[in-house]
Amino acid sequence: MKKTIAAALTLFAFAALTTDVTLAQGVYSKPFDNRPSQSQGPRYNNDQAQDELKIDRIDAIVGLSRRQEKQLRKIENSYDQQLARTRMTPDGYRQFQLRKRQDILAVLTSAQRDRLFAVQQNNRSANRPTPYGRRG
């Protein structure tokens, strides 16, 4: 009788401990990752459309040559592939974007860069709200 009670208590304690451990494990809905899910697969997405719009905007502002356009598309594609392959922290992502911007600016001539910076500066000052609201 004692052996049966001891075995039952041991079995009960084992079941209680394993259930607690199982329930204590957290469930994460999505891991920290900047890559698209595998179900999406390689296809034309919004990111590619935005890249093309960005290149077209730069072209409208500074007047890119055909060679410069091809180089910019090549840079965009290579950075998109790097981004899809690697996981980054927010600081790493900021560094990544900075390198991409520097590579894009390296394609432009100095006159084109000056024109682009002037337009960007005008946009920043036009979008800046007044410090005291509409009337101040």
Side-chain angles (χ1 to χ4, degrees):
M1 181 78 177
K2 289 182 181 177
K3 289 183 181 179
T4 307
I5 293 174
L9 285 176
T10 306
L11 186 61
F12 176 73
F14 178 74
L17 288 175
T18 56
T19 305
D20 288 342
V21 170
T22 304
L23 295 175
Q25 293 176 353
V27 177
Y28 298 102
S29 60
K30 187 175 181 182
F32 174 72
D33 197 1
N34 58 357
R35 292 178 280 186
S37 66
Q38 295 297 334
S39 62
Q40 289 177 355
R43 61 183 175 140
Y44 189 82
N45 58 16
N46 278 345
D47 188 41
Q48 290 170 332
Q50 287 176 350
D51 290 345
E52 288 180 10
L53 283 175
K54 205 181 304 179
I55 292 172
D56 290 342
R57 242 183 251 142
I58 292 173
D59 185 23
I61 294 169
V62 300
L64 296 172
S65 68
R66 182 66 77 184
R67 182 182 59 81
Q68 287 174 322
E69 241 180 279
K70 285 182 182 178
Q71 286 177 332
L72 289 181
R73 290 190 199 288
K74 193 175 184 179
I75 290 170
E76 287 285 351
N77 289 339
S78 69
Y79 275 96
D80 286 345
Q81 287 173 359
Q82 287 178 14
L83 186 64
R85 284 193 311 253
T86 60
R87 296 172 60 172
M88 290 182 219
T89 62
D91 190 43
Y93 183 72
R94 198 174 311 114
Q95 295 280 336
F96 180 81
Q97 290 293 351
L98 183 64
R99 278 183 277 144
K100 179 179 173 181
R101 178 174 165 78
Q102 289 171 346
D103 287 348
I104 287 173
L105 290 176
V107 172
L108 304 177
T109 64
S110 61
Q112 289 173 329
R113 265 181 269 147
D114 293 340
R115 207 172 314 143
L116 181 64
F117 291 150
V119 169
Q120 288 175 345
Q121 195 64 27
N122 287 339
N123 287 343
R124 284 189 190 122
S125 62
N127 292 336
R128 187 176 304 139
T130 58
Y132 301 108
R134 190 172 72 166
R135 297 182 187 162

